[in-house]
Amino acid sequence: MATRIECIFFSEFHPTLGPKITYQVPEEYISRELFDTVQVYIITKPELQNKLITVTAMGKKLIGCPVCIEHKKYSRNALLFNLGLVCDAQANTCALEPIVKKLSGYITTLELESGFISNEESKQKLLPIMSTLLEELNATGACTLPIDESNTIHLKLIQLRKDPPIVQEYDVPVFTQCKEHFVKSQWDLTTQQILPYIDGFRHIQKISAEADVELNLVRIAVQNLLYYGAVTLVSIFQYSNVYCTTPKVQSLMDDKSIQEECLNYVTKPGQKRASLRDVFQLYCGLSPGTTVRDLCSRYSQQLQRVDERKLIQFGLMMSLIRRLQKYPVKVTRDERSRPPRLYTGCHSYDEICCKTGISYQELDERLENDPNIVVCWK
């Protein structure tokens, strides 16, 4: 787990002593000075109750969710408490916030059902509960803790991920794991409908057409798969494509695990496993001005056991190679070139062909016959 929990505390409002820390693990971690500084955010006014509060003071970050249960059976007609976490002031605690909120809900429910907090005898169970929570959440990021015969606490830290890139209609999704190990039932109905069409070669627009699912729904579903790391995106494969190696291609020679993964991935079914020498030679044969078709002609011997489509696919997934795309630019304001909005140097052949429905060959012919269009490779 990236963010370590340094302390778990339970604070409550005592009818005569006021706000105090009843339990903390480890003991004496929160000093009196620190608690006096932040107590107004631990046991709060009604406006801040039942809300997540994060406060940083004296090199520590405290996260809590103050609770108030109103009932005439309590002193002053209300029970105020807060079960919170403490981390280093520099720690990113976003992943801990749902944990604090859920703990607050658990303790509130236990109090309403059985008086867990207001009963001094049952309240003492909090200390071993907090010790177990601290140990297990730091060790594994998850905790299952029986409270009594009918109540169990289930907590799990959810890994925070970066927002996935926007999925375009010309992107090609590729599974990052073996498709056979993919548990279809865990996903929504739209995702389940498009899964059979994700093969590493169909682009989003084609998947939409063949699966009979609206384009934007396919894009959203694939973006969700991207978020969870189930797929990655590569460009459309064509034999007219041009690729070049990146500095990462050296990892194919240095990293044994990448070698094994690569050779298993690119070897043709039913063939003896390809040699590392052949695969590396094929990758190094990719250069500006060399199409995949050229590569197949020059290295036919090496390709006897290597699937060139899988070779390119693996290279893109592992960033061993990158695609050199063609971007048409209109250099005059002549109206003969249509649609001019796509010829700005910002739109690749892939995008233009998907948006207009014309083939690469047809687009090439149109642009070659237009003296006002210059094609940039980048």
Side-chain angles (χ1 to χ4, degrees):
M1 180 178 99
T3 304
R4 180 173 177 78
I5 303 169
E6 296 187 357
C7 172
I8 297 182
F9 67 89
F10 176 77
S11 177
E12 61 183 331
F13 185 88
H14 191 276
T16 55
L17 301 176
K20 68 166 190 169
I21 291 185
T22 307
Y23 305 116
Q24 57 175 311
V25 180
E27 291 183 11
E28 306 299 328
Y29 185 85
I30 301 174
S31 66
R32 185 72 211 176
E33 183 184 3
L34 175 57
F35 184 70
D36 287 344
T37 304
V38 300
Q39 66 171 344
V40 292
Y41 302 106
I42 304 299
I43 303 298
T44 67
K45 303 276 186 178
E47 295 80 10
L48 295 177
Q49 287 164 2
N50 298 309
K51 293 180 172 62
L52 273 170
I53 298 175
T54 301
V55 57
T56 302
M58 300 174 64
K60 303 297 177 188
K61 185 179 288 188
L62 293 86
I63 318 152
C65 183
V67 176
C68 175
I69 302 175
E70 295 182 347
H71 197 280
K72 61 184 180 182
K73 69 178 181 179
Y74 301 122
S75 300
R76 301 197 181 189
N77 298 320
L79 178 68
L80 290 89
F81 64 89
N82 195 341
L83 182 63
L85 310 178
V86 184
C87 300
D88 183 78
Q90 304 302 318
N92 183 346
T93 56
C94 293
L96 297 176
E97 291 175 1
I99 297 286
V100 172
K101 192 72 176 174
K102 198 169 184 179
L103 276 172
S104 170
Y106 272 130
I107 301 302
T108 302
T109 301
L110 287 169
E111 171 60 29
L112 293 173
E113 289 181 353
S114 61
F116 186 77
I117 301 299
S118 53
N119 183 300
E120 290 297 323
E121 185 178 343
S122 59
K123 185 168 69 174
Q124 292 177 10
K125 295 179 182 178
L126 268 178
L127 194 56
I129 288 171
M130 290 161 58
S131 298
T132 305
L133 285 173
L134 181 66
E135 182 181 343
E136 294 194 6
L137 287 176
N138 278 335
T140 65
C143 182
T144 299
L145 190 61
I147 304 300
D148 52 37
E149 291 182 357
S150 55
N151 292 287
T152 302
I153 291 178
H154 298 279
L155 295 171
K156 185 174 183 179
L157 279 167
I158 304 300
Q159 180 185 355
L160 291 177
R161 305 169 187 266
K162 293 181 180 178
D163 290 337
I166 295 171
V167 177
Q168 305 293 353
E169 61 266 38
Y170 47 87
D171 285 327
V172 178
V174 188
F175 279 105
T176 56
Q177 55 181 314
C178 181
K179 194 172 181 179
E180 284 68 35
H181 298 158
F182 196 84
V183 184
K184 187 176 177 181
S185 60
Q186 291 182 347
W187 302 88
D188 60 85
L189 293 176
T190 301
T191 303
Q192 291 184 36
Q193 191 169 341
I194 68 171
L195 283 178
Y197 301 92
I198 298 178
D199 61 355
F201 300 105
R202 290 183 176 98
H203 56 276
I204 297 296
Q205 194 175 68
K206 191 171 185 180
I207 292 171
S208 170
E210 294 188 10
D212 194 25
V213 177
E214 201 270 323
L215 180 61
N216 278 333
L217 291 179
V218 176
R219 290 170 64 168
I220 292 168
V222 171
Q223 193 167 29
N224 190 46
L225 290 170
L226 265 176
Y227 178 78
Y228 288 105
V231 300
T232 188
L233 298 177
V234 298
S235 59
I236 297 171
F237 176 86
Q238 294 194 102
Y239 283 94
S240 58
N241 287 356
V242 176
Y243 301 89
C244 64
T245 55
T246 70
K248 286 188 177 180
V249 76
Q250 182 61 37
S251 64
L252 190 59
M253 301 304 294
D254 299 337
D255 193 321
K256 294 289 185 185
S257 62
I258 293 180
Q259 290 174 16
E260 286 296 312
E261 188 179 355
C262 178
L263 297 179
N264 290 333
Y265 195 89
V266 306
T267 301
K268 289 178 179 177
Q271 291 281 349
K272 184 182 176 183
R273 198 166 82 150
S275 71
L276 178 61
R277 183 178 184 277
D278 287 348
V279 171
F280 193 72
Q281 194 172 2
L282 287 167
Y283 277 132
C284 292
L286 295 168
S287 61
T290 302
T291 65
V292 178
R293 188 179 291 107
D294 297 334
L295 186 80
C296 293
S297 299
R298 293 175 191 171
Y299 296 94
S300 56
Q301 185 71 27
Q302 288 85 345
L303 283 164
Q304 287 181 357
R305 289 181 288 169
V306 175
D307 184 331
E308 65 274 11
R309 298 188 351 144
K310 291 275 192 168
L311 179 84
I312 297 298
Q313 194 179 83
F314 185 85
L316 291 172
M317 290 169 64
M318 302 300 290
S319 300
L320 308 178
I321 61 173
R322 68 179 183 89
R323 168 99 176 270
L324 288 175
Q325 297 264 24
K326 295 165 78 173
Y327 293 83
V329 183
K330 185 178 180 184
V331 293
T332 69
R333 294 180 177 269
D334 189 329
E335 289 301 317
R336 286 179 295 171
S337 299
R338 300 274 183 189
R341 63 184 179 82
L342 293 176
Y343 301 154
T344 61
C346 298
H347 306 281
S348 68
Y349 264 43
D350 283 0
E351 181 179 354
I352 294 169
C353 290
C354 277
K355 288 185 183 299
T356 60
I358 62 176
S359 68
Y360 270 56
Q361 186 177 353
E362 188 180 352
L363 181 59
D364 253 339
E365 289 172 357
R366 285 189 189 184
L367 299 185
E368 283 177 7
N369 295 328
D370 191 333
N372 299 315
I373 296 291
V374 174
V375 176
C376 296
W377 291 80
K378 59 180 179 180

